[in-house]
Amino acid sequence: MSATRYRRFLKLCEEWPKDESKKGRDLGTFLRQRVASAFREGENTQISDPEKCDHLYESLARINSNVYKEKFPRAKDTSFTGVTVEECRILLATGNMQQADEVKKGLWKTLTERFSSKPEDGPPEKTEK
């Protein structure tokens, strides 16, 4: 039975898309790594919890085959912000995420410099009336 589970997970990995624009954050790549780790001995791997293994496979297979997308169709192919799937894909690409991080770091540095700087001449003097 372990061999059957292994083959099912391999087939799922083959079908699961990889998104090259999400280096280090791609679910398809993560899935392949986890399957390789879980089935180190291939078809001969002993499964400690077969029920949990089957449940995990079924859940991933439902996601991969868009069961819920078909079951609960959306009125529009955009998010609540009006951003399309393709625009989200572009925004979430690793290169764009790194640029956003750099902008945030720049903003953070600017804010910390502005609010942590001490007056050079000490506190302002009170004027006498």
Side-chain angles (χ1 to χ4, degrees):
M1 192 66 173
S2 187
T4 302
R5 285 185 179 93
Y6 176 65
R7 282 189 231 114
R8 286 173 50 186
F9 271 99
L10 282 182
K11 186 170 180 359
L12 181 65
C13 287
E14 289 173 9
E15 295 172 359
W16 201 285
K18 281 204 258 183
D19 188 344
E20 297 298 328
S21 72
K22 294 182 181 173
K23 297 265 188 229
R25 301 177 301 118
D26 177 49
L27 186 57
T29 302
F30 177 76
L31 176 64
R32 286 165 179 78
Q33 291 168 346
R34 289 298 301 262
V35 168
S37 174
F39 290 94
R40 287 191 177 146
E41 297 176 31
E43 293 181 352
N44 298 322
T45 302
Q46 296 298 314
I47 305 297
S48 61
D49 190 348
E51 189 174 309
K52 184 177 178 182
C53 180
D54 292 342
H55 179 72
L56 180 60
Y57 171 80
E58 293 300 328
S59 295
L60 290 169
R62 283 191 301 271
I63 293 170
N64 190 44
S65 62
N66 288 320
V67 166
Y68 300 106
K69 183 179 179 185
E70 303 301 323
K71 189 174 181 178
F72 304 103
R74 298 173 60 135
K76 296 180 181 180
D77 283 335
T78 62
S79 69
F80 73 96
T81 62
V83 177
T84 66
V85 172
E86 187 56 32
E87 289 168 334
C88 280
R89 188 170 285 125
I90 291 168
L91 289 170
L92 295 174
T94 300
N96 290 334
M97 295 294 288
Q98 289 171 342
Q99 285 178 340
D101 286 343
E102 288 172 14
V103 168
K104 281 192 273 185
K105 286 178 188 173
L107 177 61
W108 180 253
K109 184 177 179 181
T110 301
L111 290 172
T112 55
E113 286 174 354
R114 181 176 294 161
F115 292 109
S116 68
S117 64
K118 298 176 185 172
E120 293 177 22
D121 298 330
E125 296 180 21
K126 293 183 183 179
T127 56
E128 294 182 27
K129 294 184 183 179

PDB file of all heavy atoms in Angstrom, residues 11 27 36-37 41 46 49 51 67-68 70 72 76 110 118:
ATOM      1  N   LYS A  11       2.530  11.548  -8.757  1.00  0.00           N
ATOM      2  CA  LYS A  11       1.641  12.043  -9.815  1.00  0.00           C
ATOM      3  C   LYS A  11       1.141  13.442  -9.465  1.00  0.00           C
ATOM      4  O   LYS A  11       1.099  14.324 -10.334  1.00  0.00           O
ATOM      5  CB  LYS A  11       0.473  11.083 -10.019  1.00  0.00           C
ATOM      6  CG  LYS A  11      -0.436  11.438 -11.186  1.00  0.00           C
ATOM      7  CD  LYS A  11      -1.410  10.323 -11.455  1.00  0.00           C
ATOM      8  CE  LYS A  11      -2.374  10.533 -12.566  1.00  0.00           C
ATOM      9  NZ  LYS A  11      -2.383  11.730 -13.315  1.00  0.00           N
ATOM     10  N   LEU A  27       4.765  27.115  -3.774  1.00  0.00           N
ATOM     11  CA  LEU A  27       4.106  25.981  -3.139  1.00  0.00           C
ATOM     12  C   LEU A  27       4.414  24.666  -3.859  1.00  0.00           C
ATOM     13  O   LEU A  27       4.603  23.637  -3.219  1.00  0.00           O
ATOM     14  CB  LEU A  27       2.593  26.217  -3.077  1.00  0.00           C
ATOM     15  CG  LEU A  27       1.777  25.196  -2.314  1.00  0.00           C
ATOM     16  CD1 LEU A  27       2.259  25.052  -0.880  1.00  0.00           C
ATOM     17  CD2 LEU A  27       0.294  25.588  -2.340  1.00  0.00           C
ATOM     18  N   ALA A  36       9.607  14.349  -1.185  1.00  0.00           N
ATOM     19  CA  ALA A  36      10.921  13.700  -1.203  1.00  0.00           C
ATOM     20  C   ALA A  36      11.392  13.381   0.207  1.00  0.00           C
ATOM     21  O   ALA A  36      11.952  12.304   0.465  1.00  0.00           O
ATOM     22  CB  ALA A  36      11.940  14.592  -1.916  1.00  0.00           C
ATOM     23  N   SER A  37      11.143  14.291   1.137  1.00  0.00           N
ATOM     24  CA  SER A  37      11.538  14.079   2.522  1.00  0.00           C
ATOM     25  C   SER A  37      10.699  12.984   3.193  1.00  0.00           C
ATOM     26  O   SER A  37      11.223  12.155   3.935  1.00  0.00           O
ATOM     27  CB  SER A  37      11.388  15.399   3.282  1.00  0.00           C
ATOM     28  OG  SER A  37      11.633  15.220   4.645  1.00  0.00           O
ATOM     29  N   GLU A  41      12.599   6.547   1.190  1.00  0.00           N
ATOM     30  CA  GLU A  41      12.899   5.222   0.645  1.00  0.00           C
ATOM     31  C   GLU A  41      11.983   4.872  -0.515  1.00  0.00           C
ATOM     32  O   GLU A  41      11.813   3.695  -0.858  1.00  0.00           O
ATOM     33  CB  GLU A  41      12.778   4.183   1.763  1.00  0.00           C
ATOM     34  CG  GLU A  41      13.780   4.412   2.874  1.00  0.00           C
ATOM     35  CD  GLU A  41      13.595   3.436   4.028  1.00  0.00           C
ATOM     36  OE1 GLU A  41      13.160   2.287   3.785  1.00  0.00           O
ATOM     37  OE2 GLU A  41      13.889   3.824   5.169  1.00  0.00           O
ATOM     38  N   GLN A  46       8.029   3.235   4.965  1.00  0.00           N
ATOM     39  CA  GLN A  46       6.984   2.811   5.910  1.00  0.00           C
ATOM     40  C   GLN A  46       6.243   4.058   6.397  1.00  0.00           C
ATOM     41  O   GLN A  46       6.863   4.979   6.922  1.00  0.00           O
ATOM     42  CB  GLN A  46       7.606   2.067   7.099  1.00  0.00           C
ATOM     43  CG  GLN A  46       8.290   0.769   6.720  1.00  0.00           C
ATOM     44  CD  GLN A  46       7.309  -0.229   6.118  1.00  0.00           C
ATOM     45  OE1 GLN A  46       6.217  -0.438   6.626  1.00  0.00           O
ATOM     46  NE2 GLN A  46       7.711  -0.825   5.000  1.00  0.00           N
ATOM     47  N   ASP A  49       1.499   6.865   9.852  1.00  0.00           N
ATOM     48  CA  ASP A  49       0.083   7.172  10.017  1.00  0.00           C
ATOM     49  C   ASP A  49      -0.586   7.197   8.637  1.00  0.00           C
ATOM     50  O   ASP A  49      -0.777   8.268   8.046  1.00  0.00           O
ATOM     51  CB  ASP A  49      -0.081   8.516  10.734  1.00  0.00           C
ATOM     52  CG  ASP A  49      -1.503   8.807  11.155  1.00  0.00           C
ATOM     53  OD1 ASP A  49      -2.437   8.088  10.710  1.00  0.00           O
ATOM     54  OD2 ASP A  49      -1.704   9.756  11.942  1.00  0.00           O
ATOM     55  N   GLU A  51      -3.634   6.880   7.645  1.00  0.00           N
ATOM     56  CA  GLU A  51      -4.864   7.664   7.550  1.00  0.00           C
ATOM     57  C   GLU A  51      -4.551   9.149   7.358  1.00  0.00           C
ATOM     58  O   GLU A  51      -5.157   9.816   6.520  1.00  0.00           O
ATOM     59  CB  GLU A  51      -5.704   7.461   8.814  1.00  0.00           C
ATOM     60  CG  GLU A  51      -7.095   8.057   8.713  1.00  0.00           C
ATOM     61  CD  GLU A  51      -7.935   7.714   9.928  1.00  0.00           C
ATOM     62  OE1 GLU A  51      -8.021   6.528  10.283  1.00  0.00           O
ATOM     63  OE2 GLU A  51      -8.504   8.667  10.504  1.00  0.00           O
ATOM     64  N   VAL A  67     -11.361  22.011  -6.906  1.00  0.00           N
ATOM     65  CA  VAL A  67     -12.684  21.572  -6.467  1.00  0.00           C
ATOM     66  C   VAL A  67     -13.481  22.751  -5.908  1.00  0.00           C
ATOM     67  O   VAL A  67     -14.645  22.952  -6.251  1.00  0.00           O
ATOM     68  CB  VAL A  67     -12.574  20.448  -5.409  1.00  0.00           C
ATOM     69  CG1 VAL A  67     -13.889  20.211  -4.698  1.00  0.00           C
ATOM     70  CG2 VAL A  67     -12.074  19.178  -6.053  1.00  0.00           C
ATOM     71  N   TYR A  68     -12.858  23.542  -5.064  1.00  0.00           N
ATOM     72  CA  TYR A  68     -13.580  24.633  -4.415  1.00  0.00           C
ATOM     73  C   TYR A  68     -13.841  25.802  -5.352  1.00  0.00           C
ATOM     74  O   TYR A  68     -14.831  26.511  -5.205  1.00  0.00           O
ATOM     75  CB  TYR A  68     -12.849  25.069  -3.150  1.00  0.00           C
ATOM     76  CG  TYR A  68     -12.740  23.926  -2.186  1.00  0.00           C
ATOM     77  CD1 TYR A  68     -11.526  23.280  -1.982  1.00  0.00           C
ATOM     78  CD2 TYR A  68     -13.865  23.434  -1.537  1.00  0.00           C
ATOM     79  CE1 TYR A  68     -11.435  22.192  -1.119  1.00  0.00           C
ATOM     80  CE2 TYR A  68     -13.784  22.353  -0.680  1.00  0.00           C
ATOM     81  CZ  TYR A  68     -12.569  21.736  -0.478  1.00  0.00           C
ATOM     82  OH  TYR A  68     -12.500  20.657   0.347  1.00  0.00           O
ATOM     83  N   GLU A  70     -14.605  25.416  -8.454  1.00  0.00           N
ATOM     84  CA  GLU A  70     -15.774  24.972  -9.211  1.00  0.00           C
ATOM     85  C   GLU A  70     -17.030  24.961  -8.329  1.00  0.00           C
ATOM     86  O   GLU A  70     -18.113  25.312  -8.775  1.00  0.00           O
ATOM     87  CB  GLU A  70     -15.529  23.573  -9.777  1.00  0.00           C
ATOM     88  CG  GLU A  70     -14.306  23.449 -10.669  1.00  0.00           C
ATOM     89  CD  GLU A  70     -14.354  24.355 -11.879  1.00  0.00           C
ATOM     90  OE1 GLU A  70     -15.449  24.537 -12.452  1.00  0.00           O
ATOM     91  OE2 GLU A  70     -13.300  24.901 -12.249  1.00  0.00           O
ATOM     92  N   PHE A  72     -17.638  26.821  -5.643  1.00  0.00           N
ATOM     93  CA  PHE A  72     -18.017  28.176  -5.239  1.00  0.00           C
ATOM     94  C   PHE A  72     -17.498  29.176  -6.271  1.00  0.00           C
ATOM     95  O   PHE A  72     -16.513  29.880  -6.029  1.00  0.00           O
ATOM     96  CB  PHE A  72     -17.437  28.512  -3.863  1.00  0.00           C
ATOM     97  CG  PHE A  72     -17.824  27.536  -2.798  1.00  0.00           C
ATOM     98  CD1 PHE A  72     -16.905  26.579  -2.351  1.00  0.00           C
ATOM     99  CD2 PHE A  72     -19.096  27.540  -2.248  1.00  0.00           C
ATOM    100  CE1 PHE A  72     -17.256  25.668  -1.372  1.00  0.00           C
ATOM    101  CE2 PHE A  72     -19.454  26.631  -1.270  1.00  0.00           C
ATOM    102  CZ  PHE A  72     -18.537  25.692  -0.834  1.00  0.00           C
ATOM    103  N   LYS A  76     -16.594  37.640 -10.142  1.00  0.00           N
ATOM    104  CA  LYS A  76     -15.559  38.336 -10.915  1.00  0.00           C
ATOM    105  C   LYS A  76     -14.221  37.644 -10.692  1.00  0.00           C
ATOM    106  O   LYS A  76     -14.017  37.018  -9.665  1.00  0.00           O
ATOM    107  CB  LYS A  76     -15.438  39.792 -10.460  1.00  0.00           C
ATOM    108  CG  LYS A  76     -16.673  40.618 -10.709  1.00  0.00           C
ATOM    109  CD  LYS A  76     -16.443  42.035 -10.232  1.00  0.00           C
ATOM    110  CE  LYS A  76     -17.677  42.877 -10.456  1.00  0.00           C
ATOM    111  NZ  LYS A  76     -17.489  44.256 -10.006  1.00  0.00           N
ATOM    112  N   THR A 110      14.193  56.127   7.182  1.00  0.00           N
ATOM    113  CA  THR A 110      13.850  57.545   7.193  1.00  0.00           C
ATOM    114  C   THR A 110      13.086  57.912   8.455  1.00  0.00           C
ATOM    115  O   THR A 110      13.384  58.914   9.113  1.00  0.00           O
ATOM    116  CB  THR A 110      13.008  57.903   5.953  1.00  0.00           C
ATOM    117  OG1 THR A 110      13.759  57.584   4.790  1.00  0.00           O
ATOM    118  CG2 THR A 110      12.634  59.376   5.928  1.00  0.00           C
ATOM    119  N   LYS A 118      18.395  63.587  17.958  1.00  0.00           N
ATOM    120  CA  LYS A 118      18.345  64.469  19.121  1.00  0.00           C
ATOM    121  C   LYS A 118      18.718  65.868  18.682  1.00  0.00           C
ATOM    122  O   LYS A 118      19.592  66.048  17.835  1.00  0.00           O
ATOM    123  CB  LYS A 118      19.330  63.983  20.189  1.00  0.00           C
ATOM    124  CG  LYS A 118      18.997  62.617  20.703  1.00  0.00           C
ATOM    125  CD  LYS A 118      20.037  62.163  21.673  1.00  0.00           C
ATOM    126  CE  LYS A 118      19.738  60.730  22.093  1.00  0.00           C
ATOM    127  NZ  LYS A 118      20.798  60.168  22.877  1.00  0.00           N
TER     128      LYS A 118
END
